[in-house]
Structure formats: structure tokens, C-alpha cells
Amino acid sequence: MSTEHFDVVVVGAGISGIGAGYYLQRDCPNKSYVILENRADMGGTWDLFRYPGVRSDSDMFTLGYSFKPWTEEKAIADGPSIWKYVHETAAEYGIDTHIRFKHRVTRASWSSEDALWTVEAESEGAAKRFTCNFFHVCAGYYNYEEGYLPTWEGTDSFKGQIVHPQHWPENLDYSGKRVVVIGSGATAVTLVPSMTDKAAHVTMLQRTPTYMVSLPAEDKLANWGRKNLPRHFAYDLTRLRKIIFQQIFFRLARNRPEKTRERLLGLIREQLGPDYDMETHFTPPYNPWEQRLCLVPDNDMFIAIKEGKASVETDHIERFTEKGLKLKSGKELEADIIITATGLNLRMLGGAEIVVDGKKIDPGQSYTYKGAMFSDVPNMAFVFGYTNASWTLRADLINEYACRLINYMDMYGLASATPRLDAGPHEDKPFADFSSGYFQRANHLLPKQTTKAPWKQNQSYGHDIMDLRYGRIEDGVLEFKKKPAARSSVTEAAKPELVA
């Protein structure tokens, strides 16, 4: 089997991976790179999900790239528009020519002796092998092949159709059908109003309510700016405004949860009226931002409920029946189609096995350095975006940081950089301070953090700018090793003081 060598191997051609390609070309123009993508097309999430109404749950001024202005009228964009945006970005900067589709990375092994990663992949039944000096994983955080599906009694007895949004049938006809959507997260809140155009009725069945916030699908101020100001200036101004709002709102929700709860519920009550049972259907048992808020553009969910096209049931499922669902309250929901919007199965690193000098690395037993690298794993970065803001904001910063680290090692003739957690006492914390089910189910798969930097994730864009974009590379935590003298072009005097 032949082996191809690149300076950098990137895994994943979604928003993060295309962004990685841009920053490598901008900041490391002399480095060769390849992007290995498991699927047959780029786009990641936006190529996978095809259910009705699929859209962003963040505004596109922050979910979009800092370097590529979002020019559509709608700030809350539909899936096909985001897919088009990712493709346009890849083509505009020539990133698409670096992508190898249908390449599923199965294993990456690091050799300290050679200061090299060997990356193994499968492509249409054939084994492929690559080597690289730096390994960068932008594969997202969930299993693309399989969504999360709880086990219910009696599913085989149901005479209708059961559909998971992650595996949406291409020609599903729900015209005139009674639809029950199980779930109350972003997918359910998107599906319910979107399906009311054809369905006889759509019911959202939830165990517990979720906090929801409505925003206009179009940002009038942003659209005015784009028409009257220089394009990039207008985009940067809107992006900054959105970032500041996101950060202030999150901090306010965490510091003053009761006031935030009161405001959020008050806005929904204004839409549904004083007689609606808010306590049962829209009042979560937790504080705002302990789970991600659901975005409702232009109040579409609430309008569908007011018009009688949609409804909400808050109950637990006892079993599936021939006609639908029997609930623990004794009520039966009749349905022709049941959609299980029950969430994702989280998976780190696209499911690839990571090995360092013959030792298999368990991400769940590792610690995350700056939220961008794993403890004791050399020359490897991974992208995991914000849980309290747009994914791309953090993806951009991590991609920039990876390039800074690569350039720093080159400048001083260094072969490797490895985060090392000292042996002193430290308090372990979960990777994400989130009570959402999909995070709780996957805590054992996710790396840990501590209470002190650089092993702590702050979920703060301002903090991460200072740390990832401007912070010192040589921080006493990264352990650097030199290249052999014959390969180094930097004099001993010019080299930095190295950690042992």
C-alpha cells in the first residue's frame, strides 16, 4: 500500500474543516494539506440533515466565517442555504481541490521517533494511508451513521411509519397525516411548524419543556448595513454586535437565572395568551442555559399552536400501540407518522482510534488543553465549538491556534508539541457544563477539564481570543521536542527555552 505525505491532515469537510483549510492557506501557505471526508460531499451537518425546515439555530453572522460575509437576507438560514455557503467558500478559496471524499479515517498513530503521524483510512473498500507532521480533527461531535433512539415497548405494533430526522426518507409524504414529533430540542422545534403546511395536525410530545426564544428570521439592521456600508465593514459590525449580545445574554442568564426565566416565559406568554398552560408545557425544571436554548424564528412555533395546526403534550411514553402512543397519564395519541427527534449519539474524533507510541488513547480519560488539544497527545488539535454560542466562533479560533502552533514549531526547529498536565492535585470537571441528555449520555467519551487554565474551558469568546489568538505558545505546559540537528535550520541561540 502506498503512502502519501502531507504537512497537515485534516479530518472532516464540514464548516470546521473548510475553515481549517482557509487558515492553513492564509497562515501556513508553504504547508501541504489534505482534508479527508467520510461522506460523498462536503457540508457536514448541512449535507446530512434533510428534514423539513432544517435550519441553523444560530444567526449566520456568527455561524458563518469571519472571512466570508453572509450575504443572504435571512440571518436564521435554512439548511440548503448553509450548504451552498460552505460550497461557495470552498470553491472561492480553492479548498475543494484538497478534499478526498469517501475517506473514513479509522486510526491515527504517532511515532515520537519519527515525529510523524500515520493516518489510516478506508475508501470504498480500499485501505489508504497518509503520513503528516500535524493531525487536525474537524469531524464534529456526533455519529453521522446513527442518531440516538431510546428503547420503547411496542414499537413493532405501530401500524404507521417511524422516522428519525437523521435518516429522513427522501419522499416522505405527510400530507393530511397526523404527525407526532417526540422531543423538544432544536430539531423538534424546527420540524413542528415546518410540517404544518401539509400535515393534518402536528403534536410535539415532550417529557420536559425547553426554554425557547424567538428572533426575527431577518435582521433589518444587518440588511440595511449591507446595502449602505462597505460589505466587509457591515458584516464585521453585525458580527461584533451579535457576539456581544450572545455573551451578555449568556452571562445574564447564568448570573440572574430567575429574571432571565421570567423574561423568556413572559415573551412566550405574550404569543400564546394568558389562558395557555405555560406551567406544564413551556416552563422547564432547570435554569436558562443549563441546556441550549431553542430558537423560534418569527414566532413560527407559537403561531402554529395559536392557529390550531400544532399542539404540545407533556408526558411520558408508556408504550407504542397500533394507532400511536399510549402515555403514562393514560392518554393515547393517535398518529400516522411518529418522528423520533430524540437527539444525537456523541462521538469524539469521528470514531477514529488514536495511538501514541503504541499506546491507545482514550479521549474520555484525557484532559483538554485550551479546549483544542488532548493531554499527552503530540501535534494534534481538534475542534469543538461553543455550547452557548455559534459553533464557528470557536472553530475559527482553534483553527487559527493550530496554525500559530505549526508556525512556532517551524520557526524554532521543533519536532513536536505535547500538552502535559502536571502530577499535582486538580479537580476534574466534565467537558461541558451542560445538563442536556446527549451530553450526559456521553460524558465518559468526552475529555475532562479542570478548574484552572489552560485545562479549563471558559465558554467565553473574549477570553478565547486572548488565549488562542494572542496568548503565548510557550506557556510552561506544552512540552516541546527538537528536530534532529541536521533537520533544524535555527541556531541554538535562537531556540526558545524548552520544557523538559
Side-chain angles (χ1 to χ4, degrees):
M1 177 173 44
S2 61
T3 301
E4 292 183 82
H5 179 78
F6 295 89
D7 294 311
V8 183
V9 168
V10 178
V11 181
I15 281 185
S16 305
I18 299 302
Y22 169 82
Y23 286 105
L24 284 167
Q25 292 177 180
R26 188 193 74 174
D27 298 341
C28 307
N30 297 322
K31 295 295 183 184
S32 61
Y33 77 93
V34 67
I35 301 175
L36 304 179
E37 168 55 46
N38 181 29
R39 296 172 59 77
D41 202 347
M42 71 182 82
T45 293
W46 308 107
D47 181 60
L48 174 67
F49 287 106
R50 305 296 178 94
Y51 57 81
V54 59
R55 56 168 172 76
S56 63
D57 64 349
S58 303
D59 67 88
M60 286 305 299
F61 300 102
T62 54
L63 187 63
Y65 300 111
S66 60
F67 56 86
K68 169 75 172 172
W70 174 258
T71 58
E72 301 287 337
E73 291 290 317
K74 286 192 173 183
I76 310 301
D78 60 71
S81 297
I82 302 171
W83 182 90
K84 178 184 175 186
Y85 172 80
V86 173
H87 278 69
E88 285 178 350
T89 304
E92 180 177 339
Y93 293 98
I95 301 164
D96 52 354
T97 62
H98 294 260
I99 304 172
R100 305 283 181 89
F101 294 110
K102 297 183 180 180
H103 277 62
R104 183 173 69 88
V105 175
T106 57
R107 191 174 190 267
S109 53
W110 168 262
S111 166
S112 293
E113 182 179 354
D114 300 321
L116 210 63
W117 282 99
T118 299
V119 181
E120 299 171 34
E122 293 177 355
S123 178
E124 299 183 289
K128 302 287 184 178
R129 186 168 58 203
F130 305 83
T131 56
C132 62
N133 306 102
F134 198 91
F135 187 51
H136 191 23
V137 183
C138 301
Y141 66 105
Y142 64 89
N143 187 333
Y144 275 58
E145 285 75 45
E146 183 182 16
Y148 175 66
L149 188 65
T151 301
W152 292 291
E153 186 181 347
T155 51
D156 292 341
S157 64
F158 179 55
K159 299 299 184 184
Q161 191 168 1
I162 301 174
V163 176
H164 194 288
Q166 194 165 322
H167 311 284
W168 196 267
E170 186 174 349
N171 298 311
L172 179 66
D173 182 13
Y174 54 90
S175 300
K177 302 290 181 63
R178 297 164 299 176
V179 179
V180 172
V181 179
I182 302 173
S184 60
T187 302
V189 172
T190 299
L191 274 166
V192 170
S194 298
M195 297 184 75
T196 57
D197 61 338
K198 297 178 183 177
H201 188 81
V202 184
T203 302
M204 184 173 81
L205 173 61
Q206 60 181 10
R207 290 186 300 177
T208 53
T210 300
Y211 285 106
M212 300 183 188
V213 61
S214 182
L215 291 175
E218 294 186 14
D219 186 319
K220 292 182 179 179
L221 185 57
N223 290 342
W224 179 90
R226 188 168 58 250
K227 293 173 183 175
N228 294 279
L229 299 171
R231 187 180 71 152
H232 270 280
F233 176 73
Y235 181 69
D236 291 345
L237 202 61
T238 300
R239 185 178 170 88
L240 178 61
R241 173 167 58 88
K242 297 289 188 181
I243 290 169
I244 291 172
F245 174 78
Q246 286 177 1
Q247 296 297 301
I248 290 176
F249 179 61
F250 177 75
R251 300 302 163 192
L252 179 65
R254 283 298 176 94
N255 294 329
R256 303 183 68 184
E258 287 301 322
K259 285 287 185 183
T260 307
R261 172 198 291 255
E262 183 181 326
R263 180 58 177 157
L264 290 173
L265 299 184
L267 291 172
I268 299 174
R269 191 176 288 107
E270 288 176 12
Q271 293 295 318
L272 298 179
D275 298 329
Y276 191 86
D277 187 358
M278 288 284 299
E279 183 66 28
T280 300
H281 300 309
F282 285 98
T283 305
Y286 53 87
N287 287 328
W289 272 121
E290 287 180 6
Q291 297 185 20
R292 194 172 176 92
L293 270 65
C294 284
L295 183 61
V296 181
D298 293 332
N299 291 306
D300 60 1
M301 174 85 168
F302 310 129
I303 291 171
I305 292 172
K306 281 194 297 184
E307 293 178 346
K309 297 178 180 178
S311 59
V312 180
E313 289 285 343
T314 305
D315 208 332
H316 287 240
I317 297 170
E318 182 175 303
R319 60 172 290 117
F320 278 59
T321 67
E322 288 188 7
K323 295 181 179 180
L325 295 165
K326 184 180 179 183
L327 308 180
K328 289 190 176 179
S329 64
K331 186 173 184 177
E332 184 163 355
L333 288 180
E334 293 190 356
D336 303 299
I337 299 173
I338 295 175
I339 299 170
T340 55
T342 45
L344 308 167
N345 279 322
L346 267 63
R347 180 173 70 180
M348 290 299 295
L349 309 177
E353 180 182 75
I354 305 298
V355 178
V356 173
D357 293 328
K359 179 184 177 182
K360 184 177 178 180
I361 301 298
D362 179 359
Q365 296 302 313
S366 300
Y367 292 83
T368 175
Y369 170 80
K370 295 181 182 286
M373 300 177 76
F374 289 109
S375 56
D376 301 326
V377 180
N379 291 22
M380 175 181 163
F382 74 101
V383 169
F384 201 108
Y386 290 117
T387 55
N388 67 343
S390 295
W391 177 273
T392 315
L393 291 177
R394 198 156 203 279
D396 278 354
L397 291 176
I398 292 172
N399 286 332
E400 285 185 67
Y401 175 77
C403 293
R404 288 184 65 213
L405 180 57
I406 290 167
N407 288 337
Y408 184 88
M409 288 193 290
D410 265 8
M411 183 181 301
Y412 295 108
L414 304 173
S416 65
T418 309
R420 299 292 192 193
L421 180 64
D422 63 54
H426 53 265
E427 182 182 352
D428 289 357
K429 293 284 188 179
F431 180 75
D433 181 20
F434 243 38
S435 62
S436 299
Y438 61 100
F439 273 106
Q440 295 302 311
R441 290 192 303 270
N443 268 339
H444 65 291
L445 302 175
L446 303 175
K448 293 174 281 192
Q449 61 171 319
T450 73
T451 56
K452 295 182 180 180
W455 305 100
K456 176 184 177 183
Q457 293 199 85
N458 291 279
Q459 294 293 328
S460 168
Y461 184 64
H463 179 279
D464 286 341
I465 284 179
M466 300 308 297
D467 191 24
L468 293 169
R469 183 178 291 171
Y470 300 115
R472 291 184 60 190
I473 295 292
E474 170 56 68
D475 61 356
V477 175
L478 277 182
E479 174 189 276
F480 294 101
K481 291 191 176 179
K482 304 175 185 179
K483 291 181 180 178
R487 294 165 58 191
S488 177
S489 59
V490 181
T491 65
E492 287 292 328
K495 293 178 183 177
E497 184 179 340
L498 302 180
V499 178

